[in-house]
Amino acid sequence: MKRYFVLFLLASSCVILNAQQLKIGVRGGLNISSLSDYDHMIGQYEDAGLENKLGLYAGIFGQLHFSEKSGIETGLFYSQLGGKDKENDYYESYKITANPSYLQLPVSIFYKFNLTNGFKLYPSLGVYGGYGLSGNLKTQGSIANENLDSNIKYFNDFAKRFDAGGTAGLNLEYNKFIFGLSYDHGFIRVNKKEVIYGDNAFNSNFRCTLSYIFN
């Protein structure tokens, strides 16, 4: 009985130690996304570069510290990606928007550098996986009097649902708040139909976030 009690205390100590090393928080921010160098064909002789689209980024995250300064971070986030393009002149007047939303799970390692007055600066580097939830690819307008209006389902008609890539960030922490800048780039082709002579679509995203740590 005593042996089991000692084992129970040891196990409890390990759980408490891990709990003390684990920090949980919420994060929200803004994406500026594109489909890299991909050009989407919208007319017989016209294509559009889908880039510089604003989107929402929000979710929960956790940091497991290996030491006071280093550790691993992961979380689960709702992320709006895609891209957009528009033209307005005598020959062509159109607007096209790719508006997909993903559920993303990033995993990164970090190392924190102590600055003055309680500030900490830490870079992070890792990978992410994503699953497409919903979205559309909408075109409005015309080229040379040819009507381009269409609205298709992003993942059913254009893109694959699974995405994965690399992520890198730079973060400034003060007390329970973290301001972060990061960049993601996909490793997996987005478009279902491969482009043979030209660039395929890969998710590319700059992100600005503000986080709050509960403990």
Side-chain angles (χ1 to χ4, degrees):
M1 184 68 178
K2 183 177 180 180
R3 182 173 58 186
Y4 291 123
F5 181 70
V6 171
L7 290 174
F8 174 78
L9 288 179
L10 289 174
S12 299
S13 299
C14 290
V15 171
I16 292 171
L17 178 61
N18 287 333
Q20 289 175 341
Q21 292 176 337
L22 180 64
K23 296 183 178 181
I24 303 295
V26 292
R27 175 169 297 158
L30 188 67
N31 293 330
I32 305 176
S33 62
S34 75
L35 293 180
S36 195
D37 295 324
Y38 173 77
D39 289 327
H40 184 72
M41 182 66 70
I42 58 173
Q44 188 175 0
Y45 305 107
E46 185 73 17
D47 51 29
L50 301 177
E51 56 187 9
N52 296 332
K53 176 187 167 292
L54 299 181
L56 176 68
Y57 185 82
I60 59 174
F61 73 98
Q63 291 183 347
L64 181 61
H65 285 252
F66 303 142
S67 66
E68 183 181 351
K69 294 183 177 181
S70 64
I72 188 170
E73 179 179 289
T74 187
L76 195 60
F77 298 93
Y78 173 81
S79 185
Q80 294 177 335
L81 299 178
K84 65 178 182 178
D85 190 17
K86 67 177 181 178
E87 294 290 342
N88 189 12
D89 57 34
Y90 71 95
Y91 174 73
E92 55 190 10
S93 179
Y94 66 82
K95 179 180 180 181
I96 178 170
T97 305
N99 189 37
S101 59
Y102 287 83
L103 188 65
Q104 290 185 331
L105 192 156
V107 179
S108 299
I109 57 174
F110 62 83
Y111 187 87
K112 298 185 178 181
F113 298 91
N114 292 324
L115 304 179
T116 59
N117 300 321
F119 285 94
K120 297 178 181 179
L121 183 69
Y122 67 94
S124 62
L125 183 66
V127 295
Y128 75 88
Y131 182 79
L133 299 175
S134 63
N136 62 358
L137 182 57
K138 186 175 182 180
T139 307
Q140 296 173 298
S142 62
I143 296 177
N145 296 321
E146 176 189 356
N147 192 315
L148 302 174
D149 290 357
S150 68
N151 190 1
I152 65 174
K153 293 182 178 180
Y154 189 83
F155 292 108
N156 288 358
D157 301 318
F158 170 68
K160 297 179 286 187
R161 287 190 181 271
F162 180 72
D163 182 41
T167 180
L170 186 63
N171 307 275
L172 183 64
E173 180 178 334
Y174 179 72
N175 287 336
K176 295 187 175 184
F177 293 93
I178 304 171
F179 174 75
L181 297 173
S182 58
Y183 174 70
D184 299 343
H185 196 280
F187 298 152
I188 297 177
R189 188 183 80 243
V190 170
N191 46 301
K192 286 183 177 180
K193 186 177 180 180
E194 185 178 6
V195 177
I196 304 300
Y197 302 105
D199 296 310
N200 289 282
F202 293 87
N203 281 320
S204 177
N205 183 41
F206 289 96
R207 182 167 55 250
C208 175
T209 59
L210 181 64
S211 308
Y212 180 80
I213 302 173
F214 293 117
N215 55 335

